[in-house]
Amino acid sequence: MNPIRCAIVDDEPPALALLESYVRKTPFLHLEGKYSSAVQAMNELPGKKVDLLFLDIQMPELNGLEYSKMVDPHTRIVFTTAFERYAIDGYRVNALDYLLKPVSYADFLQAALKARQWFDRTERTVTPDAQSDGEMKYIFVKCDYKLLQIEVKKILYIEGLKDYVKIFLENEPKPILSLTALKAMEELLPAERFLRVHRSFIVQKDRIRVVERNRIVFDKTYIPVGDSYKAAFQAFLSDRS
């Protein structure tokens, strides 16, 4: 079981020290960094791989709710605050949990265990199956508490929906819904066969048949090509022309 890499952001030194002590006494957590402001975290955190962020809400200059929208979408967030009224806002930005100050170790551990369960479940969601010739033939995805084998060549496109993906397959009327991040799917699938064309879509290159007005057409579905992906998409089209 890999440790969860975490960081703490809190402008109150006693709260920062308390959370640090909690992290260090929890065996499955590893502290990657601690920051006394969201601005400091914004400048220093991007260079580190962090799975879990303990983030204070009430901070000067840039508050936790604002900063949470800038964090890597694969980093889970546990908010800490002295104000109970922020709980609903916390869940609106997809927080994993919410801790009310002063934070007891029992409450902290419960939130950490929730994170452990989330990461364990996510790590088991997608598994590749490469054949002896080195080409990936199948992937296994977790769906409804079971693993499904999917033939890679039958994947048309994949749509990301927060923590879930929809996998659309050839000759299948309904997509497969799986608890995993679109980024995890992008990293899993072979780049020579799949292309990210939008923050919410990955397509299999060989399945692209129709492009209309900068949109990829699959039957009645129109997939937009995002601005930041247009150059790579145009390069792909040029190679195929």
Side-chain angles (χ1 to χ4, degrees):
M1 182 170 64
N2 295 326
I4 297 174
R5 299 163 297 193
C6 63
I8 308 164
V9 183
D10 199 307
D11 68 319
E12 298 176 351
L16 194 63
L18 181 66
L19 290 177
E20 180 183 3
S21 71
Y22 287 169
V23 169
R24 295 195 184 282
K25 69 163 59 170
T26 306
F28 56 87
L29 296 181
H30 175 74
L31 187 64
E32 291 287 343
K34 57 179 181 177
Y35 308 97
S36 58
S37 72
V39 173
Q40 183 188 8
M42 180 178 62
N43 291 329
E44 300 179 18
L45 195 58
K48 299 181 180 180
K49 292 183 178 179
V50 172
D51 305 309
L52 182 64
L53 185 63
F54 293 95
L55 180 60
D56 185 27
I57 291 181
Q58 283 289 95
M59 290 184 289
E61 297 183 285
L62 184 68
N63 69 45
L65 288 173
E66 293 167 336
Y67 176 58
S68 69
K69 298 170 184 176
M70 307 175 191
V71 173
D72 187 301
H74 304 106
T75 299
R76 300 292 89 188
I77 294 174
V78 173
F79 279 120
T80 62
T81 182
F83 301 96
E84 201 165 354
R85 64 188 174 86
Y86 283 111
I88 295 176
D89 287 333
Y91 286 106
R92 283 177 182 164
V93 295
N94 202 28
L96 189 64
D97 209 345
Y98 176 91
L99 294 174
L100 192 62
K101 293 181 178 181
V103 180
S104 69
Y105 182 62
D107 288 342
F108 175 90
L109 183 58
Q110 185 176 12
L113 288 170
K114 183 184 290 188
R116 173 77 278 172
Q117 292 172 353
W118 193 93
F119 285 110
D120 285 347
R121 187 169 66 242
T122 303
E123 286 171 4
R124 293 193 300 266
T125 298
V126 182
T127 307
D129 183 9
Q131 303 302 306
S132 58
D133 61 4
E135 182 182 355
M136 185 182 293
K137 304 291 187 181
Y138 304 96
I139 59 172
F140 287 88
V141 299
K142 190 172 183 183
C143 178
D144 295 332
Y145 304 100
K146 60 181 180 290
L147 287 174
L148 294 180
Q149 185 189 70
I150 296 177
E151 196 171 357
V152 172
K153 70 178 183 180
K154 290 188 176 180
I155 298 175
L156 300 175
Y157 62 94
I158 302 167
E159 180 181 5
L161 301 167
K162 289 189 177 180
D163 297 328
Y164 290 83
V165 295
K166 286 182 177 180
I167 305 170
F168 293 81
L169 304 175
E170 180 184 31
N171 298 325
E172 293 291 340
K174 293 184 179 180
I176 293 171
L177 187 66
S178 180
L179 177 62
T180 189
L182 189 64
K183 181 65 175 177
M185 290 294 299
E186 182 181 15
E187 292 173 352
L188 170 74
L189 293 167
E192 67 273 13
R193 296 176 63 181
F194 288 85
L195 183 66
R196 184 82 172 261
V197 297
H198 188 273
R199 61 186 177 87
S200 300
F201 289 98
I202 296 171
V203 298
Q204 181 152 203
K205 297 175 182 178
D206 288 343
R207 294 295 186 169
I208 298 174
R209 299 286 184 266
V210 179
V211 178
E212 179 184 301
R213 296 179 182 176
N214 209 40
R215 297 177 300 175
I216 302 166
V217 183
F218 286 99
D219 193 18
K220 296 181 180 179
T221 300
Y222 290 79
I223 296 176
V225 178
D227 290 341
S228 57
Y229 301 93
K230 284 181 179 178
F233 184 64
Q234 290 299 328
F236 159 73
L237 292 179
S238 297
D239 290 341
R240 295 299 177 96
S241 60

